[in-house]
């Protein structure tokens, strides 16, 4: 095994990784608090207080505290320190400039209920972001309110229902969804009061046009197309697909959560799409993972713009900006008007790169994914053997046939300092490993990833147990994942 693919140094070899409670020494303090300069308040009643013996807190020095939390930070996987080939989630580098701009006092210290005339700069950012997203997708009606991708889906489906109801077609209550769609699509459709009918994928990884044609009828509300699909593929029949749905009287919803392969190359609106959403925390380089924060703006045709969730930013005749309510709005979908700090970060990213830079994002994302696919096609089966977009879906079926499933391959990657890819999705691919290298990774990083995947494939023949019992170098090795999810240990126990 070459040096450039050696596993990480074992955490067990790192000095002093004990818990903070284990470092506790009676009487030791990390800080001396100054005497209070305000009157002391009375303590609450005994019913609200615990006995001091029940409250176990570590007694440690300040240096022990610093070392402990610094060590914890080094144990974390992070995009600043590790490669994340996490398919469909676009875990790419987040420029620190984005955080600096979002932290400026004029953005960070304002209140969502301030008068419009006192936050014209913030409204200006939102207004320009609406214009940029409308231009990028070819859908000029833009609402920034959704707080996440799934909420953007939900908002888009409510818009579709409202528009069809206004058209006197409230009986349309079916969402047609391909079996390769993002997993949240069926859930969002159900929340919007729609019944889900699955459309098959053909042998080439495309929507089965004949199956769609047979199922699109007078009850169709929307067809929800993930583009590129979770197979990492562009839909070559999209014009025909849109015509079929429109001829049946329905609307086309494109799950554009990940626009990493489309920016500057194709506009969904130009293809006949009526509604889409975009996860800013994927395509536009904002913090992602760990439960948030997120932003999932929804974009629609000019005809549907009056149904957008409120508020949207509008420009008055005198050039001033204000928050407005579209005439047929579906209403508010959250307390205020979106994750403003995430909107600022996305706006900063767009302004930093400009139009040509955003196009380069897509071009490089597509090149990187196809490079990885070409390098690994002799070791792993391909879900579909054709040029991919921003991600490639590998199948570990031949590895599973040799006794090592995709789960173990993903766990073994952790030993090499590489985060696991998305696994077992899409469901139509056996032993799926969905790899998205993103445009921000260098060829050297991709070469190392390829070498690691090849090394693991070799290990399956020479030492399969080492792979099936991975990871070996992390604080926690192979967990009982079902128990960890259902009965997590959330506090220290002496």
């Amino acid at each position: 095994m070459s040096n450039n693919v050696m596993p990480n140094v074992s955490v067990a070899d790192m000095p002093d990784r004990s818990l903070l409670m284990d470092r506790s020494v009676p009487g030791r303090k990390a800080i001396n608090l100054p005497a209070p300069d305000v009157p002391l308040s009375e303590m609450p009643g005994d019913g609200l207080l615990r006995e001091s013996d029940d409250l176990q807190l570590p007694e440690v020095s300040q240096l022990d505290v610093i070392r402990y939390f610094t060590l914890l930070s080094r144990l974390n996987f992070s995009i600043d320190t590790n490669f994340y080939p996490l398919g469909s989630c676009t875990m790419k580098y987040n420029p620190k400039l984005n955080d600096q701009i979002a932290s400026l006092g004029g953005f960070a210290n304002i209140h969502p209920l301030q008068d419009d005339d006192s936050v014209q700069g913030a409204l200006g950012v939102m207004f320009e972001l609406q214009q940029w997203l409308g231009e990028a997708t070819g859908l000029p009606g833009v609402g920034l309110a959704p707080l996440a991708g799934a909420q953007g889906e939900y908002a888009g489906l409510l818009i579709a229902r409202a528009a069809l109801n206004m058209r006197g077609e409230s009986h349309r209550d079916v969402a047609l969804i391909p079996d390769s769609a993002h997993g949240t699509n069926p859930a969002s459709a159900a929340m919007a009061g729609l019944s889900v009918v699955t459309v098959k994928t053909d042998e080439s990884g495309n929507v089965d046009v004949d199956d769609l044609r047979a199922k699109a009828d007078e009850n169709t509300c929307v067809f929800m197309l993930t583009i590129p699909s979770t197979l990492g593929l562009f839909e070559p029949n999209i014009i025909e697909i849109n015509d079929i749905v429109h001829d049946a009287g329905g609307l086309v919803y494109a799950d554009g959560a990940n626009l990493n392969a489309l920016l500057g190359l194709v506009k969904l609106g130009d293809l006949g799409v009526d509604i889409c959403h975009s996860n800013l925390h994927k395509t536009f380089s904002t913090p992602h993972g760990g439960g948030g924060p997120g932003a999932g703006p929804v974009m629609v045709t000019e005809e549907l713009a009056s149904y957008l969730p409120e508020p949207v930013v509008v420009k008055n005749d005198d050039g001033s900006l204000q928050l407005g309510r579209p005439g047929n709005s579906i209403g508010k979908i959250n307390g205020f008007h979106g994750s403003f700090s995430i909107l600022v970060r996305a706006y900063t990213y767009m302004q930093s790169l400009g139009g040509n830079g955003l196009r380069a994002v897509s071009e490089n994302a597509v090149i990187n994914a196809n490079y990885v696919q070409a390098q690994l096609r002799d070791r792993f089966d391909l879900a579909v053997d054709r040029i991919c977009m921003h991600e490639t879906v590998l199948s570990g079926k031949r590895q599973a046939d040799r006794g090592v499933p995709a789960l173990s391959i993903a766990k073994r990657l952790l030993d090499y300092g590489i985060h696991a890819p998305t696994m077992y999705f899409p469901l139509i691919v056996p032993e799926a490993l969905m790899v998205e290298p993103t445009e921000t990774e260098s060829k050297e990083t991709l070469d190392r990833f390829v070498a690691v995947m090849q090394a693991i494939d070799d290990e399956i023949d020479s030492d399969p147990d080492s792979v099936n019992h991975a990871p070996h170098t992390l604080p926690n090795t192979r967990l009982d994942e079902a128990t960890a999810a259902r009965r997590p240990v959330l506090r220290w126990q002496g």
Side-chain angles (χ1 to χ4, degrees), residues 184-381:
T184 51
N185 285 184
S188 297
M191 287 188 65
L194 298 171
S195 299
V196 174
V197 173
T198 301
V199 178
K200 298 176 183 177
T201 298
D202 65 22
E203 293 181 355
S204 298
N206 304 318
V207 171
D208 188 323
V209 175
D210 291 335
D211 191 43
L212 173 63
R213 186 178 287 108
K215 292 174 178 175
D217 57 23
E218 67 279 0
N219 294 316
T220 299
C221 175
V222 295
F223 175 62
M224 297 186 75
L225 177 67
T226 300
I227 183 165
S229 71
T230 55
L231 292 169
L233 304 174
F234 188 77
E235 179 55 65
N237 302 315
I238 188 168
I239 301 297
E240 182 181 2
I241 287 169
N242 292 345
D243 288 343
I244 291 171
V245 176
H246 289 151
D247 289 345
L251 298 173
V252 177
Y253 180 97
D255 185 328
N258 194 334
L259 295 176
N260 246 30
L262 303 181
L263 288 177
L265 300 177
V266 64
K267 297 182 180 182
L268 295 173
D270 292 348
L271 302 176
V273 168
D274 301 294
I275 307 167
C276 81
H277 83 276
S278 173
N279 288 18
L280 301 189
H281 51 282
K282 291 185 179 180
T283 307
F284 298 105
S285 182
T286 66
H288 185 198
V298 59
M299 284 68 73
V300 300
T301 61
E302 189 173 351
E303 294 75 18
L304 295 175
S306 67
Y307 298 95
L308 286 168
E310 65 170 311
V312 296
V313 181
V314 296
K315 179 175 283 189
N316 300 316
D317 292 339
D318 63 0
S320 64
L321 301 168
Q322 69 177 59
L323 293 173
R325 186 184 193 279
N328 298 311
S329 176
I330 60 173
K332 288 195 172 184
I333 59 173
N334 57 63
F336 297 106
H337 40 264
S339 296
F340 179 67
S341 71
I342 299 301
L343 303 181
V344 174
R345 287 173 169 88
Y347 175 78
T348 304
Y349 185 70
M350 293 180 185
Q351 289 285 1
S352 299
L353 292 178
N356 290 335
L358 293 177
R359 179 186 176 99
V361 164
S362 293
E363 292 173 337
N364 286 304
V366 171
I367 289 172
N368 280 359
N370 279 279
Y371 179 73
V372 169
Q373 177 174 285
Q375 295 297 312
L376 291 177
R377 62 183 301 134
D378 63 330
R379 298 285 192 122
F380 295 82
D381 295 330

Side-chain angles (χ1 to χ4, degrees), residues 153-177:
E153 292 173 12
Y154 180 61
L157 294 172
L158 292 183
I159 289 170
R161 297 215 70 183
L164 292 174
N165 288 345
M166 186 71 74
R167 208 162 74 182
E169 300 181 44
S170 58
H171 63 280
R172 292 184 176 272
D173 62 356
V174 172
L176 301 175
I177 302 179

